[in-house]
Amino acid sequence: MSRIRFRAAALVATLALSACSGLKDALTAHVDTVARAGGQELTVQQLAKMMGDAKAPARKDVALAIANIWVNYQLLGEAAAHGDSMASQADIDEGMWAQVAQIKLKKLFAALQKASPAIDSASYQKHYDAGDMLAARHILIAAKKGVAKPAEMDAAKKQAESIAKQANAGNFAALAKKYSADPGSKDNGGDLGVFQKGQMVPEFQAGLLALKPGEISGPVQSDFGYHIIMRETWPEARDKFSKAFTAVAQQSAESTYSTNLEKSAKITLKPDAAKTVRSIAADLDTYRNDNTEVASATGVDMTAAKVAKWMAAYPPQTQIREKLQQLPDSVMGLFVKQLITNELMLKAADSAKVGLDSADKANLHQVFVSSVWNAYNGLGIVPASLADSGKTVSAREKIAGARVDKFMESLLANKAQFVDVAEPVSLALHKKFEARVMPAGIDRAVTAAQKAVAKTDSANAKNMPQSAVPAPGAPGAPAPAAPAPAAPPAAKKP
């Protein structure tokens, strides 16, 4: 509603105040509502009770998590009540956008690599010999600086010297398996694989670069102890080096491409971008429809809603939201710039007509629909069963809502297994049906839960049996003992 219309409505209501007792009701309606999903409402009292039943901490983040689970379940119930299989292409496009983006970017980079000049495999040995990338084996005799005692350091050095005298290309792997203290390479005969300069500690790298391919070092000391290093010959390293060098070259091409896109975009972060990103990370669902601009760039406007959408696409195991709440502002800026670069690369993919083939689409369809039906079954709201129980959509909505509420009770009482509504399904549901969580309602529910906990604690304290030992100062308690006299001052030495 526009401001003009709002003022007009307010004026009419004011003039009619004496004749309309419903104004107060209109202004105070839904003050006890925490969330709405479709035709269902979650009240402050319901959420407070849920938190109490679950014996969950009476905190805002806990209340918000429970409310969001309830919303997703109720939206799924809304879809089931409408007999919606959630299998349309529009649902899949909306929900699986991140997977679609990943496929497109993979194909875009494959096309870029194909168009790039081929790497001359004949030059691989030259790059290896020059140390552009390194391959080595080592044997570590552990003796950490600052931890090992001098005698232990001497013993470790002598052992390393003895092993170095025995080592040759033929027995190095066996010696590593027998003596090395490096759990990451010991079982592989000391093989460290292929790595770039700067990945190893400086002392190790300097010792390795001092060797020609095929040579074995004497003891090289680092903070970890003493290393005996073998720089592999080209025939020994050829296969793994060629694979690793090709991958790094391709990554470099991709990095150059994305860096050029970022530079040409002229990205400008808004002054409060870092604060906004932290807020989104703390309460992602609140920002899903927030068009506040976080950053601008040529061809892309990065809104809070887009940041939330990208953030939700990260796998849970990355803990991206938890990390973003703790990182400095500079990292927040880099994160937003990366999201803008992602958007620009997707635009480039679309311009290049990079799309999904039939196999890609079939796979995404199967994954999405399976997620929907797993959730339907888990919550007991399969559309067919609702159709048998209710003849109208309204009746089926009530049945589905009741089943969800009953499931939530069982879940929070640890009597039911958690049913996951996958992020793609949640996105599609929120696009199709109305849903909202009210921050004020969350706060009231937390306050109500805290009062309930305090009341329970007080009642429990009153019902506790009195101790047989009187508390100090209570009737029948012994009087406190008189303080002991102070000790005399020690005599001073002459």
Side-chain angles (χ1 to χ4, degrees):
M1 180 183 291
S2 69
R3 184 174 295 183
I4 294 175
R5 288 177 62 195
F6 178 81
R7 287 176 177 170
L11 178 61
V12 171
T14 302
L15 293 173
L17 179 60
S18 59
C20 181
S21 61
L23 179 61
K24 182 179 179 181
D25 293 335
L27 293 175
T28 59
H30 308 302
V31 293
D32 289 330
T33 301
V34 172
R36 294 193 188 95
Q40 307 300 318
E41 285 191 354
L42 178 65
T43 66
V44 168
Q45 292 74 22
Q46 282 177 300
L47 180 54
K49 184 178 183 301
M50 288 178 180
M51 295 174 73
D53 291 345
K55 294 181 173 53
R59 299 197 315 257
K60 185 173 182 178
D61 60 326
V62 175
L64 194 59
I66 294 173
N68 285 326
I69 291 171
W70 180 89
V71 166
N72 276 337
Y73 286 175
Q74 290 290 359
L75 288 180
L76 205 60
E78 188 82 2
H82 284 78
D84 193 340
S85 64
M86 298 291 292
S88 71
Q89 192 59 49
D91 290 332
I92 295 168
D93 289 344
E94 178 66 31
M96 301 293 279
W97 76 271
Q99 290 79 0
V100 170
Q102 189 175 17
I103 293 171
K104 284 184 175 181
L105 292 180
K106 185 177 179 180
K107 291 187 175 185
L108 173 66
F109 285 129
L112 291 172
Q113 290 167 10
K114 191 175 181 180
S116 300
I119 301 172
D120 182 10
S121 59
S123 67
Y124 284 170
Q125 183 175 357
K126 180 181 177 182
H127 289 293
Y128 180 72
D129 291 341
D132 295 335
M133 289 185 72
L134 302 166
R137 293 178 183 268
H138 83 138
I139 300 167
L140 171 64
I141 305 303
K144 291 186 178 180
K145 287 182 179 179
V147 177
K149 296 177 181 178
E152 293 172 330
M153 296 291 284
D154 289 340
K157 184 178 181 180
K158 288 177 181 178
Q159 185 183 10
E161 288 172 343
S162 175
I163 294 170
K165 289 177 182 178
Q166 302 173 48
N168 57 55
N171 67 7
F172 196 94
L175 290 173
K177 290 179 181 180
K178 184 176 180 179
Y179 295 109
S180 183
D182 178 11
S185 65
K186 175 185 177 78
D187 293 338
N188 294 323
D191 189 0
L192 294 170
V194 180
F195 47 92
Q196 293 178 290
K197 288 180 180 178
Q199 286 186 241
M200 299 297 180
V201 294
E203 300 88 347
F204 184 96
Q205 179 172 296
L208 175 57
L209 290 173
L211 301 173
K212 295 178 181 178
E215 290 183 342
I216 298 174
S217 75
V220 174
Q221 188 179 17
S222 76
D223 288 344
F224 299 97
Y226 291 92
H227 308 262
I228 300 100
I229 306 169
M230 184 177 82
R231 187 174 180 186
E232 294 179 312
T233 64
W234 170 243
E236 291 170 327
R238 180 191 291 111
D239 291 343
K240 58 186 177 183
F241 181 88
S242 300
K243 184 177 180 181
F245 190 80
T246 301
V248 168
Q250 291 173 347
Q251 290 171 5
S252 178
E254 293 172 10
S255 178
T256 300
Y257 178 77
S258 61
T259 299
N260 289 339
L261 278 179
E262 182 182 325
K263 287 180 179 179
S264 63
K266 299 178 181 178
I267 299 172
T268 302
L269 298 173
K270 298 303 176 183
D272 57 351
K275 180 181 178 181
T276 303
V277 172
R278 283 197 189 89
S279 299
I280 296 169
D283 184 7
L284 187 147
D285 288 284
T286 298
Y287 291 87
R288 286 188 185 272
N289 297 308
D290 189 332
N291 290 321
T292 301
E293 196 174 58
V294 177
S296 62
T298 304
V300 174
D301 289 323
M302 184 55 63
T303 64
K306 284 184 179 179
V307 172
K309 193 173 183 179
W310 277 104
M311 205 179 287
Y314 280 79
Q317 58 268 28
T318 64
Q319 297 186 316
I320 188 69
R321 293 173 62 184
E322 293 81 358
K323 292 175 182 177
L324 285 171
Q325 293 178 64
Q326 300 171 7
L327 293 171
D329 290 0
S330 58
V331 177
M332 298 293 181
L334 293 174
F335 177 72
V336 173
K337 287 180 179 180
Q338 182 58 60
L339 298 187
I340 290 176
T341 303
N342 290 346
E343 293 269 346
L344 292 169
M345 287 192 291
L346 287 174
K347 284 181 174 290
D350 290 338
S351 297
K353 302 190 183 304
V354 174
L356 278 61
D357 57 32
S358 57
D360 295 327
K361 292 177 181 178
N363 182 56
L364 293 180
H365 182 276
Q366 181 182 359
V367 170
F368 183 84
V369 172
S370 293
S371 294
V372 171
W373 284 89
N374 285 340
Y376 275 157
N377 282 299
L379 296 173
I381 52 173
V382 174
S385 70
L386 294 179
D388 291 339
S389 303
K391 300 302 179 185
T392 66
V393 171
S394 178
R396 293 193 292 272
E397 286 176 343
K398 290 180 181 178
I399 295 167
R403 290 184 185 179
V404 166
D405 286 338
K406 185 176 180 180
F407 180 86
M408 286 291 295
E409 289 179 11
S410 298
L411 176 65
L412 295 172
N414 287 322
K415 295 179 180 178
Q417 188 174 359
F418 176 71
V419 173
D420 181 38
V421 178
E423 174 63 19
V425 177
S426 177
L427 277 175
L429 288 169
H430 279 266
K431 180 72 173 180
K432 185 170 285 191
F433 302 104
E434 291 292 330
R436 184 184 174 195
V437 175
M438 290 73 164
I442 292 288
D443 291 338
R444 285 193 289 271
V446 171
T447 300
Q450 289 170 342
K451 288 180 179 178
V453 170
K455 185 176 180 181
T456 300
D457 290 346
S458 177
N460 289 340
K462 288 180 180 179
N463 294 329
M464 286 181 65
Q466 290 187 352
S467 172
V469 180
K492 295 183 180 180
K493 292 181 179 181

